[in-house]
Amino acid sequence: MDMEAGLQEHVAFHLTGRRPGAGLEAVDEFDLRPALLTGYHDLTQLRYDFPLVLVRDTSADRTCVQSLSGIVDGVVHEIAQGDDGDRLTRHALRLEQKIRSAVAGGASGSLSALWNKAASQLAAQGDDLLKDSLKRARTALKVDGEVIDCGKATPAQLFRHTWAVVQEAKAHRVRDDIGKLILKLSNILQVDFAYSKAGRSADSLKAAVGAAHAEVFDFEAMSRMLGKSSSNTALPVGRHRRIEKLLAVLKSQRFFGAPRGTDAAAGDVQPYSFLFGDCASALAAYHERLPKAIELAKAIAIAELEIDAQYNEARHDALFAEFGADGLDTQDMARFPDYLVCVGAARLQGTENDTLMVILSAGLPMKVLVQTDDILEESGIGGDAHLAFGLRSKQLANMAIGLNEVYVLQASGSHLFQFRERILKGLACAGPALFSVFSGASGKTGDLPPYLTAAAAMESRAFPAFTYDPAAGVNWAARFYLEANSQVDLDWPVQRFAYEDENHQRVEANVSFTLVDFVACDHRFAKHFARVPRAKWNGTMVPVGECLSHEAKGMPETVPCILMVDRENLLQKVIVDDKLMRAALRCRDAWHSLQELGGIHNSHAERLLARERKVWEERQQHEIAVAPKPAAAAPLAAPVATPAAAATAPAEPEPAPSSDEAYIETARCTTCNECTQINNKMFAYDENKQAHIVNPDAGTYRQLVEAAESCQVAIIHPGKPRNQNEPGLEELLKRAEGFR
């Protein structure tokens, strides 16, 4: 078959999805995977984020979730200091690999148990030096907790753990406050009882002093003496009853558990559970418990007044009669535990989906994890239907962001460890939060582990990671975070790929990882691909990334293809049909929308910048045209610059500021006030109402970067930080790269 005939066959498959002759082969039987995944056949041999350890007894910060690799690194840092450091490091890494392999094989349990078992297996080899290394490593292990791998159960496990850590930190504070209120109110009643007739009776005095001293004291005489000397200081009946009611409410509350050191646990009061598997149950529980929450918040407020003897019935009775009539305000609600709902995306249909929207739009204190296990919908293939990728998840995230006041996080399961601080922030925020997570456990990618499936979804832009934090600032630049994705300014991430050709020569090429590569991991969509035998490779087979970068018109002269490898690690070329390419274009367009939200290739900013550049260029041309031409010098006389001439002569061009220095292209300033609102001591306007930097030391490097990001015409250049100790410089320097 010549090249022309081969092209026709390839084009026919591309347009129809059918293989017309014997020149193309189905990919099902070759067990192919994208070429860029070649080095990841056995994750147990690699050091990466997983397995994770859900650390016990920790504070509500990033240390509550740690990676096995990070923990082992900490152990090595502690023990591998002397001449035997290399040996200790090598043995610790062997132990880590042993644990990772066990977890990948299905082992579960605490880190200490898995560590001890792996160490015993290695020590059985009889190597004394290895035994010494393992013993010293075990002594240096300071943390423990459940070990989890990346899989279907991972998102719920991680969120329940981090949510519990955040809630316990909050509950601990409130529980202690309630305990103090109970103690102080009880003391008021005890003092009142001590001064009462009953409190001064012989029996009460004997009970207070103790029966062991009955022979020493005459309690009857003591009672008569106290009765004569004591004045009537009894509490008013109304106050006494009010305090008793307050104590009853505080002791019977079920939101935080019983405070330590009190008798509030009497009666076997069981705390509420705030974990739910669906939105409807969580919302019903919230409404059922709201009256009790109002009652408790009211009791706390009145108790604080009573303890300070500030409660005035004439004034406060009417005020507290209306307390909570419209629900609880934000400050009171923030005291109470947040609800955690872990629900599968497949369940969010009909009433359940409507309930989720009610929860988010009403600003209820609920954190909702929506887990997606399969973002490629098979029903989207066939006829004129589209290939759907993450459609329900995208709709949820877009809807939640549109409400403006909901914390939104989207991430693949592979990226949860990197996002742990943002997860904790979302769980601790006031109001609702939506967490949309793709687990990678679709069960449709053969032996590709969930970690790689999830990572491929994020890398291919099928399920990009981002957060929207309404409390982070007043604009999108502060609220929306997209930089966790690879090569965020590109349509598709590009990696260097090396392989050996048929002549055993090393060949390197830049390869894009696109939606097509991600879909190629899923055997359900094999019919959208056709393998081309090596003998029929030709120049008309063009990488998918290149084809997606320009729009084809008319009959195609090239056919998109991707590089894949088979089970023998041999390179294969696979061509792609048009339906899948159109799905990739939709994926790219969705990514472009996210880029705009993140301030990357923002069309409005680029249009404004082009307009301002045109105005500036026209102004420059006009100034050159009207500038007076210098007079010709006399033939024999030396030129003399008079004051008038000096004033009209063209100025010497100013040298461009160093890229290390922060500066503003003041002449192009549009007086938008963005930078001066960030810091009016660092940024100020000149007499022409155009901004310049008056004092770079009057603020932080973060403010410089944020000002550059919010500038509508991109004229602020942050330079390099002046304070090398400022927190977060690594991230800030990356963000500043685009404004050099």
Side-chain angles (χ1 to χ4, degrees), residues 237 371 386 528:
V237 174
Q371 178 173 327
H386 294 315
H528 297 278

Side-chain angles (χ1 to χ4, degrees), residues 127 175 217 273 340 401 409 441 640 690:
D127 186 333
R175 197 162 47 235
F217 290 99
S273 171
L340 177 65
I401 290 175
L409 179 148
V640 177
Q690 293 182 299

Side-chain angles (χ1 to χ4, degrees), residues 435-513:
F435 303 92
S436 179
V437 177
F438 171 52
S439 69
S442 68
K444 307 298 182 182
T445 55
D447 61 352
L448 199 67
Y451 176 85
L452 282 185
T453 303
M458 178 175 165
E459 194 78 358
S460 67
R461 318 302 197 201
F463 203 88
F466 60 82
T467 57
Y468 175 79
D469 181 2
V474 298
N475 53 38
W476 278 95
R479 292 183 171 192
F480 196 76
Y481 176 78
L482 192 65
E483 285 76 6
N485 298 277
S486 298
Q487 301 173 36
V488 69
D489 56 326
L490 300 181
D491 286 351
W492 315 102
V494 177
Q495 305 294 339
R496 197 69 176 165
F497 178 68
Y499 62 94
E500 186 180 279
D501 65 12
E502 60 272 14
N503 298 318
H504 303 290
Q505 298 298 309
R506 179 182 174 86
V507 178
E508 291 190 9
N510 288 327
V511 178
S512 299
F513 196 85

Side-chain angles (χ1 to χ4, degrees), residues 338-535:
D338 292 314
Y339 294 67
L340 177 65
V341 182
C342 299
V343 61
R347 292 190 61 182
L348 284 177
Q349 300 180 17
T351 303
E352 183 71 2
N353 188 69
D354 294 341
T355 305
L356 173 60
M357 297 178 77
V358 169
I359 289 171
L360 299 180
S361 59
L364 301 184
M366 297 194 185
K367 318 304 180 188
V368 183
L369 166 65
V370 178
Q371 178 173 327
T372 305
D373 298 320
D374 190 0
I375 60 173
L376 294 176
E377 299 180 15
E378 189 172 12
S379 60
I381 297 294
D384 295 327
H386 294 315
L387 168 64
F389 50 94
L391 184 59
R392 184 177 291 110
S393 302
K394 288 192 298 182
Q395 290 172 338
L396 284 174
N398 291 340
M399 177 273 295
I401 290 175
L403 295 173
N404 291 326
E405 298 303 322
V406 179
Y407 188 99
V408 182
L409 179 148
Q410 177 172 294
S412 283
S414 59
H415 200 70
L416 291 177
F417 180 70
Q418 283 87 353
F419 258 21
R420 63 196 182 281
E421 291 185 41
R422 294 180 179 274
I423 291 171
L424 286 165
K425 190 172 185 180
L427 291 172
C429 75
L434 174 69
F435 303 92
S436 179
V437 177
F438 171 52
S439 69
S442 68
K444 307 298 182 182
T445 55
D447 61 352
L448 199 67
Y451 176 85
L452 282 185
T453 303
M458 178 175 165
E459 194 78 358
S460 67
R461 318 302 197 201
F463 203 88
F466 60 82
T467 57
Y468 175 79
D469 181 2
V474 298
N475 53 38
W476 278 95
R479 292 183 171 192
F480 196 76
Y481 176 78
L482 192 65
E483 285 76 6
N485 298 277
S486 298
Q487 301 173 36
V488 69
D489 56 326
L490 300 181
D491 286 351
W492 315 102
V494 177
Q495 305 294 339
R496 197 69 176 165
F497 178 68
Y499 62 94
E500 186 180 279
D501 65 12
E502 60 272 14
N503 298 318
H504 303 290
Q505 298 298 309
R506 179 182 174 86
V507 178
E508 291 190 9
N510 288 327
V511 178
S512 299
F513 196 85
T514 71
L515 177 75
V516 174
D517 296 89
F518 173 61
V519 175
C521 299
D522 194 318
H523 61 77
R524 291 173 297 175
F525 306 101
K527 64 182 180 181
H528 297 278
F529 301 90
R531 174 183 175 273
V532 180
R534 181 178 291 271

Side-chain angles (χ1 to χ4, degrees), residues 536-551:
K536 297 176 182 178
W537 292 3
N538 58 61
T540 64
M541 300 166 62
V542 178
V544 162
E546 184 178 332
C547 291
L548 291 171
S549 65
H550 60 270
E551 183 179 356

Side-chain angles (χ1 to χ4, degrees), residues 6-83:
L7 174 60
Q8 291 178 1
E9 187 176 29
H10 296 174
V11 168
F13 172 79
H14 174 65
L15 296 178
T16 67
R18 298 186 181 91
R19 297 188 300 277
L24 298 176
E25 299 175 330
V27 300
D28 309 60
E29 59 188 83
F30 291 96
D31 190 22
L32 303 180
R33 64 171 59 185
L36 288 177
L37 300 182
T38 304
Y40 305 101
H41 281 286
D42 185 2
L43 289 179
T44 64
Q45 300 300 316
L46 303 176
R47 300 194 81 214
Y48 65 108
D49 293 340
F50 284 83
L52 300 179
V53 180
L54 307 181
V55 180
R56 302 171 187 159
D57 304 322
T58 185
S59 58
D61 60 20
R62 60 185 297 170
T63 60
C64 70
V65 179
Q66 298 183 36
S67 70
L68 175 64
S69 294
I71 292 173
V72 171
D73 285 344
V75 168
V76 168
H77 179 74
E78 182 172 339
I79 65 174
Q81 301 293 334
D83 295 337

Side-chain angles (χ1 to χ4, degrees), residues 200 205 209 217-227:
R200 295 193 301 269
L205 293 173
V209 174
F217 290 99
D218 185 343
F219 292 104
E220 292 290 347
M222 184 180 294
S223 175
R224 289 193 298 272
M225 181 181 65
L226 290 175

Side-chain angles (χ1 to χ4, degrees), residues 11-12 15 552-558:
V11 168
L15 296 178
K553 296 181 179 180
M555 183 63 67
E557 297 181 356
T558 58

